[in-house]
Amino acid sequence: MKTNNPTRQAAVTTADKVFEQIQHAIVEGDIPSGSKISEPELAKYYQISRSTLREALNRLEKCHLIERKANVGSRVVKCSIEGLLELYITREALEGMACRQAAINMSNEEISEMQAMLKMHGQTQELKDGIAYYQEEGDLDFHYKVILGSHNKQLIELICGQLYHLIRMYRCQFGMNSPRASRAFDEHSRIIQAIADRDGELAEMLMRRHIAASRKNIENKISKEMTQQEQTKIQLIKS
Amino acid sequence: MKTNNPTRQAAVTTADKVFEQIQHAIVEGDIPSGSKISEPELAKYYQISRSTLREALNRLEKCHLIERKANVGSRVVKCSIEGLLELYITREALEGMACRQAAINMSNEEISEMQAMLKMHGQTQELKDGIAYYQEEGDLDFHYKVILGSHNKQLIELICGQLYHLIRMYRCQFGMNSPRASRAFDEHSRIIQAIADRDGELAEMLMRRHIAASRKNIENKISKEMTQQEQTKIQLIKS
DNA sequence: TTACTTGTAATTGTCGACAATAATACTTAA
DNA sequence: TTAAGTATTATTGTCGACAATTACAAGTAA
């Protein structure tokens, strides 16, 4: 599995390496969401000093995987439905704009590459008649390519450098194998078409709908999973 | 002048305090944009150890004011026209969405407060017939209130916690006293109206136009300041 | 029993020193 | 004179120890 994103340079220092290890552990849930982080304990586990560990923790904080309070300590970020929905809202804004910029700034070569990639994904999908592979790898690849295609360093840094780790964390922890795979593939096709047509406005709109559809899919799932009782319970709490 | 934003808790540790001091120095240009940061030098200047300084540097990196390379060191971020325009693009996406969410999630009390604030700003503006005060304080206050009104922690953290310092830096260093003050005031009024009407779609559109107008204002200014010769020079470089 | 206070243990923040890496200056050969 | 290679210097990364703060526990009074 591809764990590193193309925007970050390779980890050279030990703090970098430990950062990646802990990051992986948090994303995969090996270090539970919401749990407290003990600096001495983790430092001992990874055979490094506390200074080095704290350096790694700072990077984890940078991509919103842990939260620190002064003189109290660090906690792994707590996954919640509200947090997930907020993340989708943010993605819709940022990736929508990235898609618009991609339609303006991508080179013809980049567009050709993306079309080739999509074609390959389509074949793989046909082959496996399938959901899992495309959903995991292909979807991320597609979104990555679009974001990088914006040629906007600010957007790239925010989405690829910070938000995407959180997204992966939610995917792992909430086990998101949504049945939207084939529909998502069609949506991707239309988005690339809009980019190839240099239609930024349409490209943004399609990307926003694509992400909003995933969000609504989750919202529906949640409300279905709730029994009537639970819903009334929440109603009571809210009032 | 109000330097702290409402999202961050008060600085308790010395690293926090030094962080704020350096942050201020960078934003105001006392530490020049693009200059290299010497850890021993700065640590000596602020009378702290290098560990503490590095802690502060990590926070500065978090809000994109400095950039670090492994085994090489830190540099203050370099202000550029391209960077500024990219920042506006990002703001347009994030604050536009925040505005949409504000129209959905703000309480009636919050909306009333904002209307009162705007009224006050209007009077101050009339009084001074003026540009400077409203442009500096009022504009930031307005945008802050809208962002917080989104009630979306992710958006709030991204914009207020990270991008905002960069925005202030550009304002200081490029001396942005645009002549858009009175027009901006009208635009703010319409945005609040849309929020009060709970019209999220319109609110987002108006906020995006509001920010895009500032961006285009800058783009025009730049292309005007360029002489014909310089433009052809750039044309040559691009081709 | 409960609430408050005090004392202890553990955790985080800060420090100075050493190791590893990168930048610079110097030397030597062509 | 220039180029490459080497030695030196300076800077960053890492370490272990101490100080300050917080959390926990025991004890006391109501």
Side-chain angles (χ1 to χ4, degrees):
Chain A
M1 179 170 159
K2 186 160 62 176
T3 56
N4 292 347
N5 63 49
T7 59
R8 281 252 187 297
Q9 57 187 9
V12 286
T13 178
T14 63
D16 282 325
K17 293 170 195 161
V18 172
F19 159 68
E20 288 184 355
Q21 291 184 61
I22 302 179
Q23 181 187 22
H24 194 267
I26 290 178
V27 167
E28 300 283 330
D30 298 335
I31 303 177
S33 157
S35 64
K36 181 156 182 357
I37 285 179
S38 162
E39 291 184 5
E41 190 181 317
L42 263 191
K44 193 174 151 199
Y45 179 82
Y46 288 106
Q47 312 262 26
I48 56 175
S49 79
R50 261 185 63 226
S51 311
T52 307
L53 178 75
R54 281 164 69 85
E55 188 71 33
L57 292 184
N58 273 317
R59 318 239 164 115
L60 290 168
E61 193 186 7
K62 247 187 71 176
C63 51
H64 303 170
L65 289 178
I66 69 171
E67 289 168 347
R68 296 176 70 187
K69 267 190 213 167
N71 286 317
V72 174
S74 312
R75 302 195 82 90
V76 179
V77 74
K78 179 77 186 165
C79 288
S80 68
I81 302 294
E82 302 82 46
L84 178 60
L85 295 177
E86 286 185 356
L87 189 58
Y88 268 98
I89 297 280
T90 308
R91 276 187 71 189
E92 187 180 325
L94 286 173
E95 293 199 39
M97 178 59 89
C99 198
R100 175 187 285 260
Q101 298 299 312
I104 299 171
N105 295 326
M106 274 180 101
S107 71
N108 292 331
E109 289 73 28
E110 287 175 298
I111 293 176
S112 300
E113 278 177 34
M114 261 190 61
Q115 288 171 325
M117 184 191 74
L118 189 78
K119 196 175 170 186
M120 198 191 72
H121 284 160
Q123 289 169 345
T124 312
Q125 192 194 19
E126 267 186 76
L127 239 137
K128 298 203 179 186
D129 189 41
I131 293 159
Y133 174 79
Y134 178 71
Q135 190 65 11
E136 276 304 313
E137 284 291 311
D139 187 60
L140 285 183
D141 277 359
F142 170 79
H143 285 271
Y144 252 102
K145 282 256 179 357
V146 171
I147 296 157
L148 294 177
S150 73
H151 294 199
N152 183 314
K153 284 174 204 156
Q154 194 82 52
L155 286 174
I156 293 169
E157 164 62 21
L158 281 184
I159 311 176
C160 297
Q162 299 188 6
L163 291 183
Y164 253 67
H165 306 290
L166 253 186
I167 294 170
R168 276 179 44 221
M169 180 173 176
Y170 272 106
R171 286 207 174 178
C172 284
Q173 310 239 344
F174 283 8
M176 294 188 163
N177 43 354
S178 72
R180 293 190 67 258
S182 64
R183 194 175 303 172
F185 182 81
D186 291 339
E187 289 170 3
H188 288 188
S189 306
R190 293 207 183 87
I191 289 170
I192 292 183
Q193 189 59 51
I195 291 175
D197 293 342
R198 303 296 184 182
D199 188 339
E201 196 176 339
L202 180 62
E204 174 169 16
M205 182 185 288
L206 290 175
M207 178 61 90
R208 283 184 64 154
R209 285 192 188 172
H210 173 59
I211 295 172
S214 291
R215 190 187 77 239
K216 284 166 189 166
N217 190 43
I218 290 163
E219 284 173 347
N220 289 336
K221 203 193 254 180
I222 298 303
S223 61
K224 268 184 198 165
E225 277 174 11
M226 278 205 239
T227 66
Q228 190 63 36
Q229 276 197 332
E230 278 166 332
Q231 285 197 11
T232 33
K233 208 182 286 177
I234 286 172
Q235 292 278 332
L236 289 171
I237 291 167
K238 276 189 179 173
S239 61
Chain B
M1 178 172 161
K2 184 158 62 175
T3 55
N4 291 347
N5 64 48
T7 58
R8 282 247 186 301
Q9 58 186 10
V12 287
T13 178
T14 63
D16 283 324
K17 292 170 195 162
V18 173
F19 158 69
E20 288 184 355
Q21 290 184 61
I22 302 179
Q23 181 186 29
H24 194 267
I26 290 178
V27 167
E28 302 282 331
D30 298 334
I31 302 177
S33 157
S35 64
K36 179 153 181 5
I37 286 179
S38 162
E39 291 184 5
E41 191 180 318
L42 263 192
K44 194 173 150 198
Y45 179 82
Y46 288 107
Q47 312 262 25
I48 56 176
S49 80
R50 260 185 63 227
S51 313
T52 308
L53 178 75
R54 282 165 69 86
E55 187 71 34
L57 291 184
N58 273 316
R59 317 238 163 116
L60 290 168
E61 194 187 6
K62 247 186 72 173
C63 50
H64 304 168
L65 289 179
I66 69 171
E67 289 168 346
R68 296 177 69 189
K69 266 191 214 166
N71 287 316
V72 174
S74 312
R75 302 195 83 90
V76 179
V77 73
K78 179 79 186 164
C79 288
S80 68
I81 302 294
E82 302 82 45
L84 179 59
L85 295 178
E86 286 185 355
L87 189 58
Y88 268 98
I89 297 280
T90 308
R91 275 188 72 189
E92 188 180 325
L94 286 172
E95 292 199 40
M97 178 59 88
C99 199
R100 176 188 284 261
Q101 297 300 312
I104 299 171
N105 295 327
M106 273 181 102
S107 69
N108 292 330
E109 289 74 29
E110 285 176 299
I111 293 176
S112 300
E113 277 178 34
M114 262 193 58
Q115 289 171 324
M117 185 191 73
L118 190 78
K119 196 176 171 186
M120 199 189 73
H121 285 160
Q123 289 169 346
T124 314
Q125 192 196 20
E126 269 188 73
L127 239 140
K128 297 204 177 185
D129 190 42
I131 293 159
Y133 174 79
Y134 178 70
Q135 190 65 8
E136 277 304 313
E137 284 291 311
D139 186 59
L140 288 183
D141 276 0
F142 170 79
H143 284 271
Y144 247 100
K145 281 253 177 5
V146 172
I147 296 157
L148 294 178
S150 73
H151 294 201
N152 183 315
K153 284 174 203 157
Q154 193 84 50
L155 287 172
I156 293 169
E157 165 62 21
L158 281 184
I159 311 175
C160 297
Q162 300 188 3
L163 259 47
Y164 183 70
H165 305 288
L166 251 185
I167 294 170
R168 274 179 46 221
M169 181 174 177
Y170 272 106
R171 287 206 173 179
C172 284
Q173 311 239 345
F174 283 7
M176 297 189 161
N177 42 355
S178 71
R180 295 190 66 257
S182 65
R183 194 175 304 172
F185 182 81
D186 291 339
E187 290 170 1
H188 288 187
S189 305
R190 292 206 184 88
I191 289 170
I192 292 183
Q193 189 59 49
I195 291 175
D197 293 343
R198 302 298 184 179
D199 188 339
E201 196 176 340
L202 180 62
E204 175 169 16
M205 181 185 288
L206 290 175
M207 177 61 90
R208 284 185 62 154
R209 286 193 187 173
H210 174 59
I211 294 171
S214 291
R215 190 187 77 238
K216 286 167 187 165
N217 190 43
I218 290 164
E219 284 173 348
N220 290 335
K221 203 192 252 178
I222 298 303
S223 61
K224 270 185 197 167
E225 279 174 10
M226 278 204 240
T227 66
Q228 190 64 34
Q229 277 197 330
E230 279 167 332
Q231 284 196 12
T232 34
K233 205 181 292 176
I234 285 174
Q235 291 279 335
L236 288 172
I237 292 168
K238 275 188 180 173
S239 63

